[in-house]
Amino acid sequence: MAHPMTRVTAAAVAATTVAGLTAATAGASTAVPTQRGTLVSATHLRTMSAEQARTWLKSDHFDASQVKYGVDTYRLVYRTIDARHRPTTASGLLVLPRNQAKTLRTVSYTHGTMSYKPDAPSVAKDVWGSGPAVTYGAAGFAAVSPDYLGLGLGPGVHPWKNVPSETTASMDMLRAARQAAARHGRTLDRRVLVTGFSQGASSALGLARALQAGNDPWFRLRAVAPISGGYDFKGAELPALLGGKVPSKIGVAYTTYLLTSWNRIHGLYSSPQVVFKKPYAGRVNKLFDGTTRGDVMLKSLPDRLDQLLTPRGMAMLRKPTGRFERALIEDRDAPTAWTPHVPIRLYKISNDEQAVTLNTTHYATWLRRRGVKAPVIDVGGRTYGGSRHLGSNLSGTAQIVRWFETLR
């Protein structure tokens, strides 16, 4: 969860435009070879000195105290598979430190919710989108940040809250990053430090699970540190949303994104009119197809769930059954139903107004039942644009980069 739809409500996002983005990516999934993780292209985006990186990060309230080096940033396009295992392409951001190290410790950072293609890390014009990756890169790590499917230069529509596809996109981005780094005489350490925020917290856990399982012949899991995840949508998030603990407009946006995305993946309803009231039924798919800016999307939706959803739609949320219930269980289990054998820390903020803190409480309990001691780190009370949830990304990233530096 979290990004444009939340940042615009705090008046903290400026709309970005990537010229020709939609046209450039249209049809890009056709005739794609099946070799997952193969690098298609690597585009150098910018070079920053250490001082420039500090100034740039501070301009959007990122902690720059761990900046040691300048960085080079690259947009990678690579081969992967979509949510139905068909060949496609995706994009992501690679940040390499400007130091003399030939072998670079590897960090994977997976981002929070966004619905507009140009907000993704590899194409974002703002600091927020690529700030975490630059934070890790400037500290001396090779930072790998996938855009996910359907965002950035990825064709098609993003399958939001689909951990399996976020996992494959993240794994294949690591493979592509290894190839790109080799072109510059650099080697990525096989032991990956995995982190992510909000939606990306679950994505990080999905990647960590796959790495620990040995799903790649080179990369292995070293540690994992998710931030403010929505790990238990059925048991924590939906009750909070229905109980008024999530700001109403944000709840409307997340609900619309969830239902439209999961309908494409899981087939929840036969037509939007089944769950969405008029006039919203006729616009919801367009609002979340990747071409609508976050501020425009919010203005196009009502303020309350009862204005958005039909009685059947409300009943789905109140008492999930059938395909929706199975999808909720998959969404919970894909990132959490495994036992980490590496150091793991859970980062959260109290009174999180979006990914409510009970999500982290539940996940910590599940880990304890598996015999895993996972410290729960409260990142403090920092806000970003008035949001505690977004503030936890800033504070969590600042704390995690320090922790990762201690792990050898």
Side-chain angles (χ1 to χ4, degrees):
M1 302 173 68
H3 179 34
M5 65 183 67
T6 49
R7 294 184 70 207
V8 293
T9 60
V13 68
T16 61
T17 302
V18 177
L21 181 62
T22 303
T25 60
S29 63
T30 61
V32 179
T34 57
Q35 186 61 45
R36 285 180 48 192
T38 298
L39 183 63
V40 175
S41 65
T43 304
H44 183 263
L45 300 176
R46 66 186 303 178
T47 297
M48 286 188 281
S49 68
E51 187 55 41
Q52 287 172 329
R54 289 187 192 97
T55 300
W56 183 81
L57 289 168
K58 289 178 180 177
S59 72
D60 205 21
H61 310 291
F62 280 88
D63 186 331
S65 63
Q66 300 305 300
V67 172
K68 300 180 180 70
Y69 310 104
V71 296
D72 287 293
T73 66
Y74 303 87
R75 180 190 304 121
L76 308 186
V77 176
Y78 59 96
R79 293 168 182 154
T80 188
I81 54 175
D82 68 13
R84 292 185 171 85
H85 304 284
R86 300 170 301 193
T88 187
T89 58
S91 56
L93 180 70
L94 171 65
V95 182
L96 298 179
R98 295 180 64 82
N99 60 13
Q100 301 303 311
K102 295 301 182 182
T103 299
L104 298 169
R105 301 177 67 211
T106 308
V107 171
S108 173
Y109 172 87
T110 41
H111 65 74
T113 293
M114 52 188 62
S115 58
Y116 185 44
K117 285 178 180 284
D119 286 319
S122 79
V123 294
K125 299 298 184 182
D126 60 6
V127 179
W128 180 266
S130 53
V134 170
T135 297
Y136 290 108
F141 300 92
V144 182
S145 187
D147 293 335
Y148 306 140
L149 298 178
L151 295 172
L153 298 186
V157 179
H158 173 54
W160 187 59
K161 277 191 69 64
N162 180 240
V163 174
S165 69
E166 292 159 11
T167 299
T168 55
S170 299
M171 182 72 84
D172 292 342
M173 176 64 185
L174 278 172
R175 295 163 174 158
R178 185 184 176 205
Q179 298 164 49
R183 294 182 178 182
H184 300 278
R186 320 294 283 273
T187 299
L188 299 192
D189 192 317
R190 66 189 306 169
R191 300 165 298 173
V192 184
L193 301 153
V194 177
T195 183
F197 164 65
S198 197
Q199 175 189 359
S202 291
S203 308
L205 291 167
L207 174 62
R209 182 178 188 174
L211 288 168
Q212 181 171 286
N215 288 6
D216 183 82
W218 173 257
F219 291 110
R220 295 292 181 267
L221 179 63
R222 176 63 182 91
V224 58
I227 309 168
S228 300
Y231 312 113
D232 188 8
F233 226 79
K234 181 182 179 183
E237 197 66 29
L238 282 181
L241 189 151
L242 293 168
K245 294 182 179 179
V246 175
S248 181
K249 189 79 168 187
I250 298 302
V252 165
Y254 281 137
T255 298
T256 309
Y257 205 179
L258 183 72
L259 293 178
T260 54
S261 175
W262 281 10
N263 189 57
R264 297 185 186 100
I265 301 166
H266 302 290
L268 302 183
Y269 48 83
S270 57
S271 70
Q273 289 78 11
V274 172
V275 295
F276 296 103
K277 290 181 176 179
K278 295 180 179 180
Y280 309 108
R283 65 179 68 154
V284 289
N285 286 329
K286 174 65 175 176
L287 293 178
F288 290 94
D289 70 356
T291 65
T292 303
R293 291 200 326 252
D295 57 338
V296 175
M297 174 271 292
L298 277 177
K299 291 176 182 177
S300 303
L301 291 172
D303 294 329
R304 303 193 317 268
L305 279 175
D306 61 350
Q307 297 170 326
L308 172 75
L309 298 178
T310 63
R312 180 171 173 181
M314 290 297 296
M316 282 180 63
L317 299 188
R318 291 193 177 107
K319 190 174 181 179
T321 59
R323 292 182 179 181
F324 187 46
E325 183 180 30
R326 290 193 294 272
L328 287 165
I329 293 170
E330 175 189 294
D331 180 66
R332 178 196 67 199
D333 288 352
T336 64
W338 61 292
T339 303
H341 299 311
V342 299
I344 177 171
R345 292 183 176 182
L346 309 182
Y347 290 78
K348 58 93 172 177
I349 193 167
S350 60
N351 300 315
D352 192 319
E353 83 284 359
Q354 294 184 41
V356 293
T357 313
L358 189 61
N359 282 287
T360 299
T361 301
H362 284 185
Y363 184 37
T365 299
W366 301 337
L367 286 171
R368 283 196 300 271
R369 290 173 181 169
R370 292 175 175 270
V372 177
K373 295 180 179 179
V376 177
I377 312 297
D378 193 314
V379 300
R382 187 172 186 181
T383 63
Y384 178 91
S387 168
R388 294 176 65 81
H389 183 62
L390 295 181
S392 71
N393 190 30
L394 297 176
S395 298
T397 297
Q399 294 180 30
I400 292 167
V401 69
R402 292 179 174 88
W403 182 46
F404 282 174
E405 287 180 326
T406 70
L407 301 176
R408 296 291 174 178

